Amino acid sequence: MTADPIAELLAGVARADRECFRRLYSETGGKLFGVCLRILGNRSEAEDALKEVFARAWQDARRFDASKGDGMVWLVAIARDHAIDRLRARPARATDGAAPPDRAEVLPDSEAPAAKGAARRLADCLELIDPARSAALRSAYLSGLSTEALAHHHDVPLDTMRSWLRQGLAKLKECMEA
Amino acid sequence: MNEPASDMPEREALAAEYVLGTLALPERLAAEALVDSDTNFARLVDEWRDRLSPLNAGYAPVTPPPGLLEAVEKRLFPEPEAPHRRPWLWGVLAAAALAALALVTVLPTARPPAAIVVTLTGENQPLVIDARFDPEAGELTITRSAGPAAAPGQDHELWLIPEGEAPISIGLVREGDLTIPIATLPAGTTLAVTLEAEGGAPTGAATGTPLVSALIGGS
């Protein structure tokens, strides 16, 4: 791994350095709030989720291994996991209140130059998949919607959506490893 | 099932769908449990997190509301205010704590292991109580070093408040030294003295507000 400023801040947090924690928040809070807001579609719940995300980051920072991954990817995973857990824990019909999947979700150039190669490759691989399916994959990832909710939003049967997602994932892996 | 389900083994498909975020709650919980119990599954999840991570660029940053970091810090680092949730002490310590706790000192006087010496003080409070914990002997010694004794019919009651827990009565501070056998006095514990009816609070829970207190700091 080349220089990863977020990983360096996480190393500080793992040493219980509160100044590093504040800097981590100022560097990543906006992005992680964007994650929570996108998935939960509700500002006050997203705020609660973000508090939990940073509490976990403080507690779990020592489990982050910079030799195995990117600091921002690790943090976004915490935010997505927690926000999706909250979304799933809502009463059944409440999934309708979540942000609808955006069919025109674009894949902008990544902010981290080091990630550009991987982003380009993922984007290329997504293009090889049927457009409706790759749109479903993107919106699934970003919105955190369940297969059932996605089937509803895309107006296809549940089994169809499930096989779109699974085949899409399998093709993506094959393409990215090629 | 007209179409083939997947080119991936079931385990890997589960890892991929978990990272994608599409699993229903029961499957999601099962996957989370597997991450903790099965290192191979955890590795598959990590691989999928990396593989799909370029999609993170699709999350637009949104500035969080002001004060959110402070709320997190308050939750994570409660020590400077009050290490427990009892309302009667919380309010008092929150108000008077900084002045009082600023006077707390932790002096290693012997080693190893070091004794802990703290002074219990309160704002505008003539009462001053010294506490000395000797870990080797397992004894906490309490001495009123300044201020008046409790009036007739009343007692100064000493409370030990483990971090995040309810106060525990550990004795009455009268004339002379009070020696209490305790095994440890961890950092984050608060010692406080309240004014109670003679013989101590009848229910075992403090009824008065703390006159003086001290927070045990790190060594």
Side-chain angles (χ1 to χ4, degrees):
Chain A
M1 279 272 107
T2 50
D4 177 355
I6 304 301
E8 282 169 28
L9 290 175
L10 282 169
V13 172
R15 297 188 305 267
D17 181 330
R18 294 190 193 176
E19 181 52 35
C20 284
F21 185 63
R22 306 199 117 228
R23 281 169 53 205
L24 185 72
Y25 181 87
S26 81
E27 293 289 320
T28 66
K31 181 75 172 181
L32 300 181
F33 191 48
V35 172
C36 295
L37 206 52
R38 176 75 165 86
I39 291 171
L40 292 165
N42 168 315
R43 216 175 152 92
S44 84
E45 203 179 352
E47 289 171 14
D48 284 346
L50 188 65
K51 289 178 196 166
E52 178 63 26
V53 167
F54 274 94
R56 290 188 187 182
W58 172 263
Q59 283 151 5
D60 291 348
R62 71 195 62 183
R63 290 165 63 180
F64 168 70
D65 182 349
S67 70
K68 287 189 187 159
D70 177 87
M72 196 64 207
V73 170
W74 187 79
L75 286 168
V76 170
I78 293 179
R80 287 187 73 243
D81 283 352
H82 179 62
I84 294 171
D85 283 345
R86 277 177 176 256
L87 186 65
R88 282 301 175 283
R90 283 181 188 171
R93 269 189 51 78
T95 46
D96 293 345
D102 184 354
R103 284 165 187 271
E105 205 71 67
V106 288
L107 188 64
D109 281 344
S110 170
E111 56 271 8
K116 265 194 177 152
R120 188 71 262 152
R121 203 153 85 242
L122 181 71
D124 289 347
C125 289
L126 278 170
E127 275 180 20
L128 295 177
I129 304 173
D130 169 80
R133 299 180 192 200
S134 82
L137 272 182
R138 277 183 189 131
S139 67
Y141 183 88
L142 293 173
S143 68
L145 290 182
S146 67
T147 309
E148 195 179 357
L150 286 164
H152 176 76
H153 281 294
H154 286 256
D155 200 21
V156 296
L158 177 61
D159 279 344
T160 303
M161 179 52 72
R162 184 171 291 130
S163 83
W164 277 10
L165 296 174
R166 284 206 169 190
Q167 289 179 357
L169 288 164
K171 280 185 180 158
L172 209 55
K173 183 186 176 196
E174 191 184 289
C175 169
M176 289 181 79
E177 284 178 352
Chain B
M1 288 299 186
N2 298 326
E3 300 183 65
S6 161
D7 298 328
M8 291 186 288
E10 195 60 29
R11 260 305 161 87
E12 168 139 28
L14 182 67
E17 288 179 309
Y18 170 62
V19 173
L20 188 61
T22 51
L23 295 178
L25 186 61
E27 299 162 291
R28 186 167 171 83
L29 294 174
E32 284 171 359
L34 273 177
V35 167
D36 290 334
S37 65
D38 179 338
T39 52
N40 282 331
F41 186 77
R43 187 178 44 78
L44 289 172
V45 167
D46 283 343
E47 285 170 8
W48 275 101
R49 286 201 201 284
D50 281 346
R51 201 169 279 136
L52 296 180
S53 65
L55 290 172
N56 291 344
Y59 287 114
V62 180
T63 306
L68 199 140
L69 172 64
E70 288 70 22
V72 177
E73 288 181 319
K74 205 167 170 182
R75 177 172 146 198
L76 290 173
F77 321 125
E79 296 96 311
E81 275 132 19
H84 58 87
R85 299 184 195 96
R86 271 295 170 101
W88 65 267
L89 253 179
W90 179 274
V92 170
L93 284 186
L98 288 182
L101 296 179
L103 296 173
V104 170
T105 50
V106 179
L107 304 173
T109 55
R111 74 171 100 177
I116 298 171
V117 178
V118 297
T119 304
L120 284 68
T121 56
E123 203 172 32
N124 301 321
Q125 179 51 247
L127 184 67
V128 176
I129 288 177
D130 292 328
R132 184 179 191 283
F133 175 62
D134 180 353
E136 213 151 37
E139 281 181 349
L140 177 67
T141 304
I142 302 294
T143 312
R144 178 163 57 85
S145 58
Q154 295 186 310
D155 261 319
H156 285 140
E157 188 163 10
L158 177 68
W159 304 86
L160 183 146
I161 308 153
E163 189 164 20
E165 293 181 39
I168 302 160
S169 170
I170 56 172
L172 300 173
V173 186
R174 292 175 172 162
E175 295 301 325
D177 287 354
L178 169 68
T179 302
I180 302 142
I182 58 170
T184 60
L185 193 61
T189 305
T190 299
L191 294 172
V193 169
T194 61
L195 189 62
E196 301 287 356
E198 188 171 4
T203 62
T207 60
T209 54
L211 304 174
V212 293
S213 63
L215 174 70
I216 308 303
S219 48

